[in-house]
Amino acid sequence: MSTISIIGAGNMAAAIGTRAAQHGYKVEFMSRDAVKAEALARQVGGAATVGEFGARPAGDIVIVAVLYASAVDVVKRFGDALEGKILVDITNPFNADGSGLVTSAGDSVTEQLAAVAPASAHVVKAFNMLFRGVVADGKPVDVFFAGSSAEARGRVATFLESLDMRPVDAGGIELAHALEWAGLLLVGLARNGSGFDLALSAAVR
Amino acid sequence: MSTISIIGAGNMAAAIGTRAAQHGYKVEFMSRDAVKAEALARQVGGAATVGEFGARPAGDIVIVAVLYASAVDVVKRFGDALEGKILVDITNPFNADGSGLVTSAGDSVTEQLAAVAPASAHVVKAFNMLFRGVVADGKPVDVFFAGSSAEARGRVATFLESLDMRPVDAGGIELAHALEWAGLLLVGLARNGSGFDLALSAAVR
């Protein structure tokens, strides 16, 4: 049984963790709020466990499912415990009124995480273009991702496929900021008639 | 027979003009290069015409199908001739190596055009997330758009539907920059395995 580690115990941590557990993963939740992590592990059930916040994650793939504003601090806090790991950045750094981003080109949250993570770790942006309900509904869905390491992207792609998701590779980490804007676009579409049951897909004609 | 005006005589002008002509529009091409506009009008055939560059366009909807670097100058050049028109910005302001944009949040090409267009004109971003071949193939496709005026967006939506395209409203003009990034994302996806027959679609689940 493969292990996937998730840092965070919020809505997206729950949705991704539940989907992973349903597809046979042992899910490890790590949160500053150990009580919340315990509750989430019980809710997900099966083989879900709680890991100590800041300790070395059990999984090779570590989903960083915290709010964007604390993501850099969380990766710093784990520090060397993340050596060799594939970190998955799912954040959407929207500004206060949702009209734009707090990040800029070349300085996406993904790039910020890569700057503070151990050199042997790789950061891949993924899942940020998905509403929580779409992750939770279990149906096939396209998941767009970007990151510097082609090997890490390949391993994320394999993980996504194992969750009955279709991996759609956007390329290098410079595309992570495009994914952040696409997250904002998704909300714009949802608010302007498409609704929050929406997902984007990449269709070859 | 409704008239649609297109400023430009390049590949996207040809693709959009051809699709509009096939759906019964009288297409007016306006280009600095009158010879190229004449050739394009002949190629599109039927009721396609050439209008004088800088004169008042015949159509209520005017597609600004020039390269991003000249779009602001073109709208300035037309000036008051664009009063009351709906200008459709299709540009992708990619930087030289295609790793990012030359525009920034709050200063998309769309917002730049709105700043120089007559106050009675409205600017809507659309078509920038489509490869030329996808416009040309005539099949149904989702077209994402954004702009300040809900009425103008509604009229663009009606125009898109008449071309057998599905309008997908992203909201106000502040989303135009998100569409510019989505254009870059589309190229990233195409280059990383999806290919250039790709289009994004917004699927409600």
Side-chain angles (χ1 to χ4, degrees), chain A residues 43-54:
Chain A
Q43 178 193 314
V44 168
T49 62
V50 170
E52 184 191 347
F53 187 79

Side-chain angles (χ1 to χ4, degrees), chain B residues 123-196:
Chain B
V123 188
V124 175
K125 188 147 199 129
F127 292 105
N128 77 299
M129 287 171 60
L130 295 177
F131 292 123
R132 178 172 52 98
V134 168
V135 176
D137 75 15
K139 295 183 212 164
V141 65
D142 283 8
V143 181
F144 300 77
F145 60 94
S148 293
S149 160
E151 193 207 330
R153 296 207 307 275
R155 291 180 62 188
V156 169
T158 301
F159 171 60
L160 293 170
E161 285 172 343
S162 75
L163 301 186
D164 206 11
M165 294 169 152
R166 189 170 78 95
V168 189
D169 191 346
I173 200 164
E174 69 280 6
L175 267 296
H177 192 58
L179 294 179
E180 292 176 345
W181 276 103
L184 193 82
L185 175 61
L186 189 76
V187 173
L189 300 171
R191 286 183 177 156
N192 286 281
S194 291
F196 288 83

